[in-house]
Amino acid sequence: MARQLTMAMANPCCRPSLPLCRLVRCSSAPARRSANYPPSSWDYDSLLLSLNNPGHDRLKAGVREQLVRASRGDDQIAKLRLVDTMQRLGVAYHFETDITGILTSVHSSKPPRCSWDDDGDVASAALRFRLLRENGFAVSLTGNYLTPALQSDNAEGLLSLYEASYLSFRDEETLDEARTFCANGLRELLPSMEPHLRCSVVHALDLPLHWRSPRLEARWFIDKYARDASNSDPLLLQFAMMDFESVQTVHQQELVRLLRWRKETGLGEKFGFERDRLMECFHCANGIVWEPNHGSCREMLAKLTSLLVNLDDVYDVYGTLDELILFTDTIGRWEECPMEILPEYMRALYSVMYDTSNEVANNVLKKHGFDVRSLFQEAWHDIAKSFLVEAKWHHGNQIPALEDYLYNGAVSCSGPLLLQHAFSMLNMEVNSKYIDLVRSYPRLIQSAALVLRLCNDSATHSAELERGDAPSSIAIHMLENNSSEHESRKAMKDLTNDAWKSINEDAFKNDQFSIPFAMACVNLARTSHCVYQGGDGFGAPNGRKNEQIAELFLEPLGLTNNDKW
């Protein structure tokens, strides 16, 4: 650090733009008085939504009354269904305290074991398990899935158990068996289902609820809920529609700032070879954190994702091996002025990377009094080194072992860098203990990153073979095991399932991190499925992806017969 500051003061072009006192933490702080004022009683994010649309507060109050009435009643299944509906409509974040109270009462009223062996109500037992587990309550799901309760035409029970099975931990193999059983049963019953239920089943079999990006699911479910007039609540539907468009307005304002930022960087003019994917990057960032109160984190993630796409193109497509070695060394030094020997396009990209990451670090220093620049420096150097390893494999026509590929790929997928930056903005407390934990690549980050890597490989395998790129996990598995593509894809899907079990344990059972950060890790894995489902959402976004982005961020909420989600 001292050497960097000495160089900066000696070289005018590298002189820090901030006062020295803001770059170095003081060893002792002056004594200051405190009046112990209470925090503000106003929720500014809710105020912004309500002031923009006065009807929002009125509808919200009506929905809260419904929750209060439900919490006072004895019908636990009705309570759970209301909570589930609110979560899927995307409005549960307004009522976290009320919902926690309901789930706490449900959890305490019965043993933590959910079972349908007594009353045969598979759907309710599975729903209770899913909602309690995903909200951090200690609970298990037991029951003989071969009982008559699931042997008849019980499509709703099969669907509920199928969705619940994706919340399994590593030692719950019975849920894996139940998942396969339910999936097969649902496929057999599909032709005889009424249209509304068939729509839900097809949606779940395409991708389970637990693996879906929350904002995309809300958009799809609002449409479905509106078309089920006999079972939908008009007040709840109206509030969900209004809230969706209010949040959409917040996201649109963020997009305006991001578009200006991208233009101001000038990278578009300096990079003739780049993928221009800012909208897709914002879509990815929104998948990780979508709530209105996390706007600054979302904008930061969108910027970083955009820069990572450019960095990937430099290492994967454009840079020579000699240039990439120099570039990796420059990133490792993490100095304000990049080396003059670097090509202009590399120096331009490095400067934006450095400035963007340091802006986050300066904000964290002001808010928490802790310097996280070394964490970010290591994160950028780690991903650059992982990109360089892959470049050397490609240039040397080397095929790594699958274990080596996945170890390196869990870093080069960019997941750890994004989450390490997000941590400093989502955790209520930032100190050396938590920084050391995040720096060590804990299992939650590793598992979410592995899902991202495997989803990417599944979508890009064929195109990368045609381009002659370094082999993916699927290609390497085929070579190592002399297996077919179908068999190797299944093996990678099994790895994905195992990674999800670790994510479930660390996010919903082990309390290492704050809930917002744990959910950001879960949502990174979720958005990986959504971005790469049906094709490469970054390399070659298709019409389906463009429609999703347009309906999430650009177009007003129009309710149509929409099955593209």
Side-chain angles (χ1 to χ4, degrees):
M1 178 66 187
R3 181 174 65 86
Q4 293 178 19
L5 287 175
T6 302
M7 291 176 62
M9 301 311 293
N11 186 347
C13 78
C14 296
R15 198 161 288 157
S17 58
L18 295 174
L20 187 59
C21 62
R22 292 179 61 186
L23 292 173
V24 182
R25 293 185 65 197
C26 299
S27 58
S28 61
R32 303 183 190 277
R33 295 189 307 134
S34 172
N36 294 318
Y37 294 122
S40 172
S41 58
W42 297 97
D43 181 346
Y44 295 135
D45 298 302
S46 296
L47 274 175
L48 284 172
L49 291 175
S50 61
L51 290 173
N52 287 331
N53 195 334
H56 189 273
D57 258 6
R58 177 178 54 82
L59 292 172
K60 180 178 175 180
V63 173
R64 173 163 276 124
E65 287 180 11
Q66 287 189 354
L67 268 176
V68 171
R69 286 197 301 270
S71 66
R72 293 171 178 167
D74 298 324
D75 191 343
Q76 290 199 356
I77 302 307
K79 296 179 187 180
L80 292 172
R81 287 175 179 162
L82 177 58
V83 170
D84 184 45
T85 300
M86 294 178 70
Q87 288 185 350
R88 298 190 71 169
L89 287 171
V91 298
Y93 73 103
H94 286 291
F95 312 101
E96 290 178 352
T97 301
D98 306 86
I99 289 174
T100 298
I102 289 176
L103 294 178
T104 300
S105 68
V106 169
H107 182 258
S108 60
S109 65
K110 288 184 178 181
R113 179 179 61 86
C114 300
S115 177
W116 59 85
D117 285 342
D118 296 331
D119 57 12
D121 190 352
V122 181
S124 298
L127 176 63
R128 179 174 181 263
F129 166 80
R130 176 167 63 81
L131 291 180
L132 290 176
R133 174 159 287 187
E134 71 184 8
N135 283 278
F137 291 89
V139 66
S140 62
L141 181 61
T142 61
N144 181 8
Y145 60 86
L146 297 177
T147 62
L150 281 175
Q151 290 297 301
S152 60
D153 294 345
N154 186 0
E156 291 187 357
L158 288 169
L159 179 59
S160 184
L161 180 55
Y162 172 81
E163 296 284 27
S165 71
Y166 282 90
L167 273 294
S168 65
F169 294 160
R170 288 175 298 170
D171 58 350
E172 295 176 326
E173 289 81 7
T174 302
L175 286 178
D176 296 337
E177 298 170 3
R179 179 189 308 170
T180 302
F181 175 84
C182 292
N184 292 335
L186 288 169
R187 291 188 182 97
E188 290 178 5
L189 292 174
L190 266 178
S192 61
M193 292 179 189
E194 54 90 13
H196 192 72
L197 179 58
R198 186 187 307 122
C199 175
S200 296
V201 171
V202 170
H203 188 67
L205 291 176
D206 184 46
L207 193 69
L209 173 63
H210 186 52
W211 289 9
R212 286 189 175 273
S213 177
R215 196 67 180 159
L216 280 173
E217 177 63 16
R219 178 63 186 82
W220 178 85
F221 193 75
I222 288 172
D223 187 17
K224 178 181 179 294
Y225 193 68
R227 287 186 276 117
D228 188 18
S230 60
N231 293 305
S232 61
D233 181 285
L235 174 66
L236 188 53
L237 175 61
Q238 188 179 1
F239 177 64
M241 293 174 63
M242 183 178 291
D243 191 69
F244 184 94
E245 293 189 336
S246 296
V247 175
Q248 186 185 61
T249 299
V250 173
H251 293 163
Q252 288 172 345
Q253 294 166 352
E254 293 165 1
L255 266 173
V256 170
R257 290 191 291 270
L258 284 168
L259 290 167
R260 287 174 179 161
W261 166 82
R262 181 67 182 180
K263 189 175 180 64
E264 290 168 358
T265 65
L267 291 179
E269 292 75 29
K270 295 181 175 69
F271 278 54
F273 58 89
E274 66 155 352
R275 287 174 290 174
D276 185 357
R277 298 289 184 268
L278 185 60
M279 293 295 290
E280 290 79 7
C281 292
F282 183 70
H283 180 30
C284 177
N286 187 70
I288 300 172
V289 285
W290 65 268
E291 298 88 345
N293 60 314
H294 292 318
S296 57
C297 182
R298 184 165 44 253
E299 289 186 52
M300 176 271 298
L301 288 173
K303 291 177 181 179
L304 292 177
T305 307
S306 178
L307 294 171
L308 286 164
V309 170
N310 294 157
L311 189 65
D312 183 41
D313 289 341
V314 167
Y315 278 86
D316 197 33
V317 178
Y318 196 72
T320 68
L321 193 55
D322 288 339
E323 289 174 343
L324 298 178
I325 292 171
L326 281 174
F327 196 29
T328 304
D329 182 57
T330 299
I331 293 173
R333 295 173 184 273
W334 204 242
E335 296 169 347
E336 185 172 2
C337 291
M339 293 189 295
E340 290 293 331
I341 195 174
L342 285 176
E344 170 60 24
Y345 76 93
M346 283 186 171
R347 281 185 280 136
L349 177 57
Y350 174 86
S351 294
V352 181
M353 289 162 44
Y354 182 90
D355 291 344
T356 302
S357 205
N358 271 12
E359 180 183 354
V360 179
N362 289 331
N363 289 334
V364 173
L365 182 61
K366 286 190 289 186
K367 181 177 180 180
H368 296 284
F370 198 87
D371 192 344
V372 293
R373 282 178 300 166
S374 64
L375 172 68
F376 295 166
Q377 174 187 356
E378 290 180 22
W380 281 109
H381 196 204
D382 284 350
I383 196 169
K385 288 187 293 185
S386 69
F387 282 159
L388 182 60
V389 167
E390 293 176 351
K392 288 180 177 179
W393 286 340
H394 173 66
H395 285 277
N397 293 318
Q398 300 174 17
I399 299 177
L402 181 61
E403 183 179 359
D404 295 336
Y405 173 85
L406 292 176
Y407 179 82
N408 189 76
V411 177
S412 67
C413 72
S414 78
L417 184 142
L418 293 175
L419 292 174
Q420 286 170 337
H421 280 74
F423 166 81
S424 63
M425 303 184 73
L426 295 175
N427 226 49
M428 295 300 293
E429 187 176 2
V430 176
N431 54 38
S432 58
K433 172 188 172 183
Y434 285 114
I435 291 299
D436 289 343
L437 180 59
V438 172
R439 179 183 275 120
S440 70
Y441 291 91
R443 191 178 67 171
L444 180 57
I445 290 179
Q446 288 186 37
S447 300
L450 180 58
V451 172
L452 174 53
R453 167 49 59 201
L454 293 172
C455 287
N456 179 303
D457 284 1
S458 177
T460 62
H461 166 72
S462 300
E464 288 177 346
L465 279 182
E466 292 177 4
R467 290 196 303 263
D469 291 349
S472 67
S473 57
I474 296 170
I476 296 172
H477 185 274
M478 291 171 65
L479 290 170
E480 288 187 353
N481 296 275
N482 195 26
S483 57
S484 67
E485 181 177 336
H486 175 76
E487 292 169 333
S488 292
R489 283 187 178 275
K490 183 182 182 304
M492 295 305 101
K493 187 174 181 179
D494 290 342
L495 275 181
T496 302
N497 288 330
D498 290 342
W500 264 109
K501 290 182 179 183
S502 294
I503 292 172
N504 292 339
E505 286 187 11
D506 289 331
F508 307 125
K509 180 182 178 182
N510 304 326
D511 299 325
Q512 279 187 306
F513 300 105
S514 67
I515 292 176
F517 179 71
M519 289 312 301
C521 295
V522 173
N523 286 337
L524 173 70
R526 286 170 170 167
T527 201
S528 303
H529 289 283
C530 296
V531 167
Y532 290 107
Q533 185 185 23
D536 184 357
F538 279 108
N542 55 28
R544 181 186 184 193
K545 302 300 179 190
N546 292 337
E547 287 177 6
Q548 289 180 349
I549 290 172
E551 293 200 33
L552 281 182
F553 307 124
L554 305 178
E555 298 174 0
L557 189 63
L559 299 184
T560 59
N561 190 0
N562 187 347
D563 293 323
K564 58 178 170 289
W565 300 88

